[in-house]
Amino acid sequence: MPLRGLIILQIHKTPFMQSVVLCSRFAVNAHVSRSFYSELIKQSQNRSSGTRNSETEDLSRMPSKPGPVQIVSVSKDDHSFELDVEALSRILLAPEVRDKHVVVLSVAGAFRKGKSFLLDFMIRYLYRRGDENWLGKDDEPLTGFSWRGGSEPETTGIQLWSEVFPVRKSDGTEVAVVLMDTQGAFDDQSTVKDCATIFALSTMTSSIQLYNLSQNIQEDDLQQLQLFTEYGRLAMDEILQKPFQSLMFLIRDWSFPYEYVYGFKGGEEFLDKRLQVNEAQHEELQTVREHIHSCFTDISCFLLPHPGLKVATSPTFEGELRDVAPEFKKQLKALIPQLLCPDQLAEKEINGNKVTCMGLLEFFKAYIKIYQGEDLPQPKTMLMATAEANNLAAVATAKEQYYKNMEKVCGGELPYVAPKSLEEKHQFFSKEALHTFSSTKKMGGQEFCDRYQAQLEAELEEMWQSYLKHNESKNLFIAFRTPAVLFVLICLFYILSGVFLFVGLATFALVCDCAVGVLMMAMLTWAFIRYSGRYPNVGGAIDQAAGVVLEQATVAMNKSKGTGIVDQKKSS
């Protein structure tokens, strides 16, 4: 069966509460556009010959013996990601493969589920192509990517095999096969973001990858796959086609061959049933399956038996075939040659453009920058996402209660309310809203809930300021404060002008007349701005000036009134 641009995913069996969700897609600006991909490919193809010579000199430092090379490291302190560009360049820019179209086989999945163990059989096959006995002798240890038995994780970050395998197809074209091993997901050192990022990077850069699902496909496995692929798709949002090429579920330790036989045939029948979408399903189940289908151009499945009790339990096992179950060896001989069949190796494509080894280096650089930035949302655990939604719902309920109560007091067309009385109502309704929030049962613990209570208090204060301004707008005096102040000033200067003219101070009378003219122009301008809505800055300046005059007059009156009271007390 054709396995075009295959991505094989290793999924493990986890409790439901360990499954993860992406809280929403948000408005993400970290897009890698179609033109961006074209530009990357163009840049990688337009390198000068001088650059090639200098790179060739760097490649002379390649180790003579093939082995795993760390290209992406994860910091244990701040959980940041770092790409070793020099190490990656030594692999992908080797003169014999740099311009060839690349096929990337990557293994990702749960830790301690045999990813590196399976990859090493692929390495053995690629070194022994054409040999019917490629599995090796019964007493031959398995070497390649580092692996061991036990419960502790072995691989960290992302590793590539240092040697790229040129494979010639029947039509004469030659492709470069790159093998990638990835850090196991859901160990005790990795955050949800670590797991999502490792999976996303491997999926975005690979065309063949193993994701090992232990014993069965459970619903939480599909939910994890949905999260990881969505996290990758966020960084490729402007891809016009399906973002990833092919997906293969490799189900390890399959225990029900009497229902679905081992291999591709049984896997296809089993997968059709698991990923089937019908109207009887809950909307959530339909969404997960539709999402997976929308991300990959082709999806397949292979059922693999258990490798044997000694493989799983012996601390001295080193990969000798004599300790491996015969059925497991039989199915390996069916899986790996089919997987790496030259005519079924699909080159890595992005937006319909085939990628060379040199181009893949540029894509690694671009993708790692996206995941090193802060533009992408943080994936959360099921508990954190539920606690956040729970607290946000409590905040919304409390705000709605405050809104309804305040609307009954001063909302809409209701008349003006005295500021002191309105503030008392605000204080009472705020306490009621906070009590409603506090009395709602919430998840996440007290410290987590306190952050949302602080958010609620800030939002209630914003709502209070809005109601205060709305109430003030209903005060007729405030609405006509500016024209009233201007009118009083016009009358005052008019009277002063008459007085100065009467006593013979014509110059002062002229100044007062000019002031009257300016104030009348200001009043007409203010009326025009209020009517037309134009020049709001000028209207604001007139309002502000009128407010200053009124404030100074009020202060002066209060001061004189206070002085009069003091004098009265002294005289008495």
Side-chain angles (χ1 to χ4, degrees):
M1 61 183 292
L3 302 173
R4 297 177 55 253
L6 188 60
I7 295 175
I8 308 163
L9 308 172
Q10 180 174 2
I11 304 178
H12 69 110
K13 198 171 184 181
T14 58
F16 178 74
M17 286 307 292
Q18 286 182 332
S19 65
V20 284
V21 293
L22 192 62
C23 285
S24 67
R25 289 198 56 193
F26 309 115
V28 178
N29 295 323
H31 300 322
V32 182
S33 66
R34 186 185 187 96
S35 60
F36 174 65
Y37 294 121
S38 301
E39 183 65 24
L40 280 179
I41 295 172
K42 187 183 297 181
Q43 289 176 4
S44 67
Q45 292 173 344
N46 292 337
R47 299 291 183 90
S48 65
S49 58
T51 306
R52 290 193 178 211
N53 292 335
S54 63
E55 288 168 346
T56 303
E57 292 174 2
D58 292 338
L59 294 174
S60 64
R61 299 198 300 268
M62 282 280 290
S64 56
K65 184 179 179 181
V69 177
Q70 191 84 30
I71 62 165
V72 176
S73 302
V74 184
S75 171
K76 292 184 178 180
D77 297 328
D78 58 0
H79 296 274
S80 60
F81 294 85
E82 182 178 353
L83 177 67
D84 191 337
V85 177
E86 183 179 351
L88 185 59
S89 299
R90 288 200 298 267
I91 298 172
L92 297 179
L93 299 184
E96 63 273 14
V97 298
R98 58 179 295 150
D99 294 322
K100 297 184 185 302
H101 292 146
V102 66
V103 177
V104 184
L105 187 154
S106 175
V107 180
F111 78 106
R112 308 311 301 152
K113 296 296 179 180
K115 300 184 301 297
S116 303
F117 179 75
L118 195 59
L119 256 180
D120 289 344
F121 280 110
M122 297 181 190
I123 293 174
R124 182 174 288 184
Y125 175 82
L126 288 170
Y127 277 120
R128 300 175 180 178
R129 283 178 307 225
D131 185 355
E132 292 185 0
N133 192 29
W134 61 269
L135 271 179
K137 299 178 181 179
D138 285 346
D139 59 350
E140 183 180 355
L142 185 63
T143 58
F145 287 100
S146 176
W147 67 274
R148 61 180 174 81
S151 60
E152 296 300 319
E154 180 72 9
T155 306
T156 59
I158 296 179
Q159 298 179 354
L160 294 187
W161 189 248
S162 62
E163 184 173 347
V164 180
F165 299 92
V167 176
R168 188 172 298 277
K169 296 187 174 185
S170 59
D171 60 3
T173 60
E174 195 171 56
V175 297
V177 177
V178 176
L179 299 181
M180 180 190 295
D181 194 10
T182 64
Q183 173 179 322
F186 306 110
D187 60 18
D188 58 357
Q189 301 295 322
S190 302
T191 65
V192 177
K193 181 181 179 181
D194 293 343
C195 300
T197 303
I198 291 293
F199 182 91
L201 279 173
S202 63
T203 306
M204 293 159 70
T205 56
S206 66
S207 55
I208 304 176
Q209 185 178 27
L210 276 181
Y211 195 13
N212 215 26
L213 192 157
S214 180
Q215 297 182 352
N216 211 325
I217 299 179
Q218 298 185 159
E219 193 60 32
D220 60 337
D221 298 323
L222 298 179
Q223 292 173 357
Q224 291 159 13
L225 178 60
Q226 180 188 27
L227 166 72
F228 294 158
T229 52
E230 180 68 5
Y231 203 57
R233 192 162 66 170
L234 282 178
M236 308 171 70
D237 207 311
E238 291 187 15
I239 287 289
L240 302 181
Q241 304 170 358
K242 291 186 178 182
F244 313 118
Q245 288 170 263
S246 296
L247 167 69
M248 181 190 213
F249 290 96
L250 180 65
I251 305 180
R252 299 285 290 272
D253 307 340
W254 179 247
S255 303
F256 314 107
Y258 50 87
E259 292 183 348
Y260 301 97
V261 297
Y262 297 126
F264 286 111
K265 184 177 184 298
E268 184 176 358
E269 295 173 354
F270 175 70
L271 188 66
D272 287 343
K273 181 179 179 182
R274 277 290 183 266
L275 296 186
Q276 183 181 11
V277 179
N278 56 65
E279 296 181 357
Q281 289 174 319
H282 189 277
E283 182 181 356
E284 176 184 324
L285 305 180
Q286 295 183 36
T287 301
V288 171
R289 285 154 178 78
E290 289 169 355
H291 173 90
I292 293 172
H293 283 294
S294 71
C295 284
F296 299 93
T297 57
D298 182 58
I299 303 176
S300 59
C301 180
F302 190 94
L303 304 180
L304 194 63
H306 194 282
L309 188 61
K310 192 166 185 179
V311 174
T313 60
S314 175
T316 60
F317 175 70
E318 295 183 353
E320 298 91 343
L321 290 177
R322 62 170 176 262
D323 297 326
V324 178
E327 187 63 35
F328 185 83
K329 290 186 284 187
K330 176 183 175 182
Q331 296 304 324
L332 277 184
K333 288 182 177 180
L335 169 65
I336 295 179
Q338 179 81 355
L339 198 60
L340 299 175
C341 177
D343 289 336
Q344 294 185 2
L345 290 176
E347 297 93 327
K348 178 62 183 174
E349 294 184 5
I350 296 181
N351 252 345
N353 298 313
K354 292 184 178 180
V355 180
T356 63
C357 288
M358 186 165 52
L360 183 63
L361 174 63
E362 301 301 324
F363 283 108
F364 260 109
K365 293 178 184 178
Y367 291 147
I368 200 70
K369 285 181 181 178
I370 293 173
Y371 288 109
Q372 286 173 339
E374 299 296 331
D375 291 326
L376 294 183
Q378 292 283 344
K380 297 177 173 65
T381 63
M382 176 74 75
L383 174 61
M384 290 300 294
T386 305
E388 183 176 295
N390 184 217
N391 279 270
L392 286 173
V395 168
T397 301
K399 285 173 59 180
E400 180 68 16
Q401 177 182 329
Y402 175 83
Y403 168 79
K404 289 181 177 180
N405 288 332
M406 290 296 289
E407 283 291 310
K408 293 177 182 178
V409 175
C410 64
E413 301 298 326
L414 292 176
Y416 173 74
V417 181
K420 186 176 181 180
S421 174
L422 185 63
E423 187 171 1
E424 290 176 355
K425 294 290 186 181
H426 157 69
Q427 295 292 345
F428 180 75
F429 294 147
S430 292
K431 290 180 181 178
E432 275 194 340
L434 290 172
H435 176 71
T436 299
F437 176 82
S438 301
S439 59
T440 303
K441 293 184 178 180
K442 300 177 292 296
M443 300 174 66
Q446 187 60 42
E447 185 177 350
F448 187 82
C449 296
D450 287 345
R451 296 204 300 266
Y452 287 91
Q453 180 167 333
Q455 175 184 331
L456 173 61
E457 291 172 354
E459 292 179 1
L460 290 179
E461 181 63 25
E462 289 181 7
M463 294 175 70
W464 158 241
Q465 293 300 327
S466 296
Y467 279 116
L468 194 60
K469 292 179 181 178
H470 179 66
N471 186 61
E472 287 179 353
S473 67
K474 300 176 183 179
N475 190 335
L476 291 178
F477 176 76
I478 292 177
F480 291 98
R481 180 185 63 183
T482 297
V485 170
L486 293 176
F487 179 76
V488 170
L489 289 175
I490 289 172
C491 293
L492 177 63
F493 279 108
Y494 181 78
I495 294 172
L496 286 175
S497 174
V499 172
F500 286 136
L501 189 62
F502 179 76
V503 299
L505 299 174
T507 302
F508 289 100
L510 181 61
V511 171
C512 290
D513 289 339
C514 291
V516 170
V518 170
L519 290 170
M520 291 186 68
M521 288 295 298
M523 181 178 289
L524 292 173
T525 302
W526 180 88
F528 171 77
I529 291 171
R530 285 287 182 169
Y531 174 76
S532 66
R534 300 170 64 184
Y535 312 112
N537 293 335
V538 177
I542 296 174
D543 286 332
Q544 187 175 3
V548 170
V549 171
L550 181 62
E551 183 179 353
Q552 293 299 323
T554 304
V555 170
M557 290 176 63
N558 291 336
K559 188 175 180 180
S560 62
K561 184 178 179 181
T563 304
I565 294 174
V566 170
D567 293 340
Q568 185 178 0
K569 286 183 178 180
K570 285 182 179 180
S571 61
S572 61

